[in-house]
């Protein structure tokens, strides 16, 4: 991931310096472990490595991923809690999304990790 992020950062520096400057410093292992505990998941290695390089970006900057904010681990928890509350309150009952059979048709699943906003 370090090589990939080096390439991304170099491209951003040339083409989107405001986005490059908005990338946060790394998350700590403790921060990541706390998020994993709340979400009840273990991050895939690439995501863990990514957060250990950049803990998302500042929320008041241009979005990194197709205009979407790349959220910090703290923001991931905040967003996940919002969606989990909606799920638990029944707001998604009877609602499905389109699926080609390779993905869930659930509108939202507590096992999903929100990464962008």
């Amino acid at each position: 991931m370090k090589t990939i992020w080096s390439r991304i950062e170099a491209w951003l520096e040339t083409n989107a310096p405001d986005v490059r400057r908005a990338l946060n410093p790394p998350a700590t292992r403790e921060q990541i472990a706390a998020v994993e505990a709340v979400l009840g998941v273990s991050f895939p290695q690439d995501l863990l490595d990514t957060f250990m390089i950049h803990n998302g970006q500042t929320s008041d900057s241009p979005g990194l991923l197709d205009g979407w904010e790349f959220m910090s681990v703290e923001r991931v928890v905040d967003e996940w809690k919002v969606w989990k509350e909606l799920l638990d309150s029944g707001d998604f009952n009877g609602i499905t999304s389109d699926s080609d059979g390779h993905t869930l048709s659930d509108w939202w699943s507590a096992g999903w990790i929100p990464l962008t906003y």
Side-chain angles (χ1 to χ4, degrees):
M1 286 310 294
K2 286 182 182 181
T3 301
I4 292 169
W5 270 104
S6 291
R7 290 179 55 206
I8 293 169
E9 291 165 2
W11 186 92
L12 289 172
E13 196 61 46
T14 300
N15 298 284
D18 290 344
V19 176
R20 170 62 182 100
R21 285 189 295 276
L23 293 173
N24 291 328
T28 65
R29 289 199 178 273
E30 293 78 19
Q31 287 173 302
I32 293 169
V35 172
E36 290 175 323
V38 170
L39 274 58
V41 299
S42 294
F43 287 160
Q45 190 63 49
D46 287 345
L47 182 57
L48 176 67
D49 292 345
T50 290
F51 281 129
M52 297 284 297
I53 295 167
H54 290 294
N55 185 13
Q57 70 178 116
T58 59
S59 60
D60 60 347
S61 62
L64 172 67
L65 303 166
D66 198 26
W68 295 73
E69 172 193 342
F70 167 40
M71 295 190 299
S72 67
V73 292
E74 296 83 8
R75 292 263 299 123
V76 166
V77 169
D78 292 344
E79 276 304 305
W80 182 86
K81 285 180 178 179
V82 168
W83 288 95
K84 179 75 165 87
E85 186 175 304
L86 291 168
L87 179 69
D88 291 346
S89 69
D91 283 15
F92 303 135
N93 289 351
I95 301 174
T96 59
S97 61
D98 293 332
S99 172
D100 63 3
H102 292 83
T103 59
L104 295 175
S105 61
D106 298 355
W107 184 252
W108 189 78
S109 169
W112 293 344
I113 304 167
L115 300 176
T116 62
Y117 181 82

